[in-house]
Amino acid sequence: MNIVPILIMDFFISFIGNAVPFFGEAYTVYAALTLFNIRSSILSIALIIIVTALGATISKNVSYALGYALRKPPLKKTSAVKLIMFLSSKSPLWILVIILAALPGLPFDDYVYVGTGAASINPLRLNAYVLIGKLIKSSIEIPIELLLFSSLYGLLKPSIGLSMFQVIMQ
């Protein structure tokens, strides 16, 4: 099966799911379901992990741009932005970015990206650290979700088709 259309779709789903600050789509669930649809190999899983991490990373520039656009007072004078500016040359900020990018389910990372935009932090450096976090997140979540979906579908297979299973799980 040609995996290129699946990679493109997974990229766009991860991009769109992460582009809107404070409201994220479970892009790893979608990616796991697309892998479930094909005979996934280690290579296809690795490609999906990389593609979803890239889509999620690039889309975080929307949150950064929002913060950059709002960098004038009063946002720039908030204690959070001042703290980000203080930590920007130190490793705790970058460790925080990686950890928050890797955490599942909570949009805490969006606060940091908006804050880094307001603090005018170097976006290239920020993207590098976000990519590390998103690679960690995708590397953990996608294989676990794929395994869970495989097990669950194995139980439901006699009573439900694959397409219906994928619709229900999304």
Side-chain angles (χ1 to χ4, degrees), residues 150-169:
S150 296
S151 299
L152 187 57
Y153 183 65
L155 295 172
L156 298 174
K157 191 174 186 175
S159 61
I160 190 170
L162 179 60
S163 297
M164 182 58 76
F165 177 77
Q166 288 175 312
V167 168
I168 292 169
M169 290 297 114

Side-chain angles (χ1 to χ4, degrees), residues 11-157:
F11 175 84
F12 282 118
I13 294 295
S14 66
F15 181 89
I16 292 166
N18 282 275
V20 179
F22 315 112
F23 177 76
E25 174 65 31
Y27 66 94
T28 58
V29 170
Y30 179 82
L33 287 169
T34 60
L35 279 168
F36 190 68
N37 202 24
I38 62 173
R39 294 190 189 274
S40 53
S41 65
I42 298 295
L43 177 62
S44 61
I45 293 170
L47 287 172
I48 295 287
I49 287 169
I50 292 167
V51 163
T52 57
L54 281 171
T57 299
I58 293 169
S59 73
K60 289 303 179 185
N61 288 302
V62 174
S63 295
Y64 180 89
L66 177 64
Y68 189 79
L70 300 173
R71 73 187 180 282
K72 303 284 186 221
L75 186 59
K76 196 162 189 170
K77 293 187 181 215
T78 64
S79 59
V81 173
K82 287 179 182 179
L83 179 63
I84 288 171
M85 291 170 72
F86 173 73
L87 293 175
S88 66
S89 62
K90 298 168 181 22
S91 60
L93 175 66
W94 305 115
I95 293 169
L96 180 66
V97 167
I98 291 170
I99 291 170
L100 291 177
L103 279 178
L106 301 172
F108 294 136
D109 56 341
D110 290 332
Y111 290 105
V112 173
Y113 306 136
V114 170
T116 54
S120 300
I121 303 299
N122 181 345
L124 293 176
R125 189 170 180 194
L126 177 66
N127 281 328
Y129 289 105
V130 171
L131 180 60
I132 292 168
K134 293 300 180 183
L135 282 170
I136 292 168
K137 176 184 173 108
S138 293
S139 297
I140 293 170
E141 288 185 16
I142 291 172
I144 290 171
E145 290 162 350
L146 185 58
L147 182 65
L148 289 173
F149 290 143
S150 296
S151 299
L152 187 57
Y153 183 65
L155 295 172
L156 298 174
K157 191 174 186 175

